[in-house]
């Protein structure tokens, strides 16, 4: 096993922040992953599973245990069923499905990250959600090494949520059930999603996508509902875009160090060049407290934020 030491995590995070991983291992196969899980258990090292790094904020002090970079990829198609390794990128999945004239995942055009990451967080956009097409998921338990296969229902998907956020398991492979569709029309949908993202999102700076989940309408105090009335969307239930709330709290452009509330989309924090994780976490705290004070709304963070306190 080739365990590396002191590998800078900023190189594996789309935010480009984070100190070194004490130990680092790239797992290309299920066997290598199992070896890494066993080693972490024997050595009592804290363990972190990393894939595309598009939804995680690593602390400046780094990670004091083993970071396993998941590289189990590969996409196969059989009829309308697509099976892929957890580290397959969403781009590969979308492109493969479209090449085979399969519909159901084209909404994910431009969605960064891996298939496994999308399942864990039930990633979604443009009214589509990963859960809509997942048939089954295979995972390995961190501690026992036991392999489990779950059906869609057993994955307990919710808004940006699944059972995998609440258990210690690594998703290794999953199967999608898609439907026949028209290749050209599907390509057009995916390309329009990519273009929308390029136009509306601050992709010119390092970021991790939306910092806060959208706010369910029921969490908006009655006396503020009229204020947000024209912005209510169904995605996947009635929400007020958190970007609109942050913008109306006057926070667009607000900066802590080189971390800034994007001028282009207020639910994005961008790294203007030399932001630290600490700048970003301070900015997140400032946004949450300002919004709470102005609107009485509790914003809920979306990415995995690893701080010194949360590493156990
Ligand atoms: C520009 C931009 C736009 C985005 N737009 C959207 C959007 O529209 N909708 C949306 O939902 N998200 C969006 N995101 C967030 C992100 O793309 C998704 O959350 C993505 O699914 C994360 O996948 P990843 O492989 O990068 O995960 P990582 O960042 O590597 O990991 C995120 C978390 O998932 C865990 N994890 C990853 N792989 C596995 C696995 N195989 N088994 C178990 N746990 C695992 C990690 O331990 C970590 O806790 C966006 C991000 C960016 C940068």
């Amino acid at each position: 096993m080739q365990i590396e030491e002191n590998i800078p995590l900023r190189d594996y995070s789309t935010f480009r922040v984070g100190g070194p991983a004490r130990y680092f291992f790239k797992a290309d196969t299920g066997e290598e992953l199992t070896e890494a899980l066993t080693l972490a258990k024997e050595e009592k090292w804290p363990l972190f599973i990393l894939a595309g790094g598009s939804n995680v904020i690593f602390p400046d002090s780094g990670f004091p245990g083993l970071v396993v970079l998941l590289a189990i990829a590969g996409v196969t198609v059989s009829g309308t069923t697509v099976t892929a390794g957890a580290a397959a990128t969403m781009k590969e999945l979308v492109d493969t499905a479209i090449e085979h004239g399969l519909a159901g995942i084209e909404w994910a055009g431009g969605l960064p990250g891996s298939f496994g990451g999308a399942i864990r967080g039930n990633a979604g956009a443009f009214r589509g959600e990963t859960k809509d097409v997942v048939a089954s998921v295979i995972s390995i338990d961190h501690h026992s090494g036991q392999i489990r296969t779950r059906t869609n229902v057993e994955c307990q998907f919710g808004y940006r949520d699944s059972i995998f956020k609440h258990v210690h398991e690594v998703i290794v492979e999953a199967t999608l059930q898609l439907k026949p569709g028209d290749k050209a029309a599907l390509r057009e949908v995916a390309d329009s999603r990519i273009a929308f993202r390029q136009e509306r999102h601050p992709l010119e700076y390092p970021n991790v996508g939306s910092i806060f989940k959208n706010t369910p309408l029921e969490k908006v105090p009655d006396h503020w509902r009229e204020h947000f009335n024209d912005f209510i969307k169904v995605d996947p239930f009635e929400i007020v875009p958190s970007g609109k709330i942050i913008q109306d709290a006057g926070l667009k452009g607000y900066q802590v160090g080189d971390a800034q509330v994007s001028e282009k989309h207020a639910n994005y924090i961008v790294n203007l060049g030399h932001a630290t994780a600490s700048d970003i976490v301070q900015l997140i705290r400032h946004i949450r407290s300002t919004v709470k004070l102005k609107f009485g709304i509790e914003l809920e963070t979306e990415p995995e934020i690893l701080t010194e306190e949360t590493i156990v």
Side-chain angles (χ1 to χ4, degrees):
M1 262 183 108
Q2 185 105 38
I3 303 275
E4 296 175 87
E5 293 188 44
N6 300 320
I7 298 298
L9 289 168
R10 66 174 60 240
D11 294 348
Y12 294 91
S13 144
T14 60
F15 233 150
R16 299 280 172 263
V17 297
R22 179 70 188 87
Y23 302 104
F24 187 91
F25 177 69
K26 179 163 163 273
D28 291 301
T29 62
E31 291 72 38
E32 287 184 354
L33 172 64
T34 305
E35 274 182 61
L37 297 180
T38 307
L39 182 66
K41 188 176 153 188
E42 281 170 5
E43 300 289 342
K44 298 193 171 59
W45 289 338
L47 176 73
F48 187 79
I49 303 297
L50 173 65
S54 67
N55 212 23
V56 59
I57 303 173
F58 293 114
D60 299 314
S61 57
F63 188 79
L66 176 65
V67 171
V68 177
L69 177 65
L70 209 60
I72 306 168
V75 183
T76 55
V77 180
S78 168
T80 53
T81 302
V82 178
T83 300
T89 62
M90 288 306 284
K91 180 179 183 325
E92 277 175 85
L93 265 189
V94 170
D95 289 348
T96 307
I98 294 174
E99 276 161 28
H100 287 78
L102 295 175
I105 193 78
E106 60 286 353
W107 57 266
L111 180 74
S114 68
F115 186 29
I119 292 170
R120 177 182 180 272
N122 185 22
F126 308 105
R127 294 190 177 209
E129 286 182 286
T130 309
K131 75 169 176 53
D132 299 340
V133 284
V134 168
S136 62
V137 180
I138 300 175
S139 59
I140 303 184
D141 187 285
H142 288 190
H143 305 296
S144 68
Q146 194 192 339
I147 297 175
R148 292 199 180 89
T149 302
R150 286 191 174 82
T151 60
N152 180 300
V153 171
E154 287 166 343
C155 291
Q156 297 177 25
F157 288 114
Y159 176 54
R160 299 292 179 272
D161 196 28
S162 77
I163 192 164
F164 301 105
K165 280 196 172 179
H166 310 282
V167 293
H168 296 287
E169 294 177 26
V170 189
I171 298 163
V172 284
E173 186 183 292
T175 296
L176 299 181
Q177 187 55 62
L178 302 174
K179 291 191 175 122
D182 176 71
K183 273 189 206 183
L186 294 171
R187 187 70 261 168
E188 206 175 302
V189 173
D191 287 347
S192 72
R193 304 311 186 225
I194 295 168
F196 182 94
R197 286 174 183 276
Q198 278 165 349
E199 193 192 316
R200 305 284 184 96
H201 299 168
L203 305 185
E204 57 278 25
Y205 294 107
N207 69 79
V208 282
S210 298
I211 289 293
F212 300 100
K213 295 179 185 177
N214 279 326
T215 302
L217 184 60
E218 64 192 34
K219 293 209 172 154
V220 177
D222 288 346
H223 57 283
W224 280 110
R225 288 199 186 178
E226 206 187 317
H227 175 87
F228 291 113
N229 218 14
D230 292 344
F231 298 90
I232 296 168
K233 286 203 285 192
V234 177
D235 191 17
F237 42 80
E238 279 193 308
I239 56 99
V240 174
S242 292
K244 173 66 184 160
I245 298 171
I246 297 165
Q247 182 177 327
D248 287 3
L251 289 167
K252 253 192 177 177
Y254 190 91
Q255 244 174 282
V256 175
D258 254 359
Q260 185 192 48
V261 177
S262 166
E263 298 272 9
K264 200 166 173 185
H265 188 315
N267 199 14
Y268 273 66
I269 289 178
V270 290
N271 178 352
L272 295 178
H274 300 285
T276 60
S278 159
D279 293 338
I280 294 167
V281 169
Q282 276 184 59
L283 181 54
I284 290 173
R285 289 194 179 124
H286 179 76
I287 297 168
R288 292 195 71 194
S289 59
T290 306
V291 163
K292 173 81 181 147
L293 211 63
K294 180 156 173 71
F295 296 120
I297 295 170
E298 301 263 7
L299 292 176
E300 205 183 315
T301 49
E302 190 169 310
E304 175 96 358
I305 303 172
L306 289 181
T307 62
E308 281 72 12
E309 300 90 64
T310 57
I311 297 172
V312 283

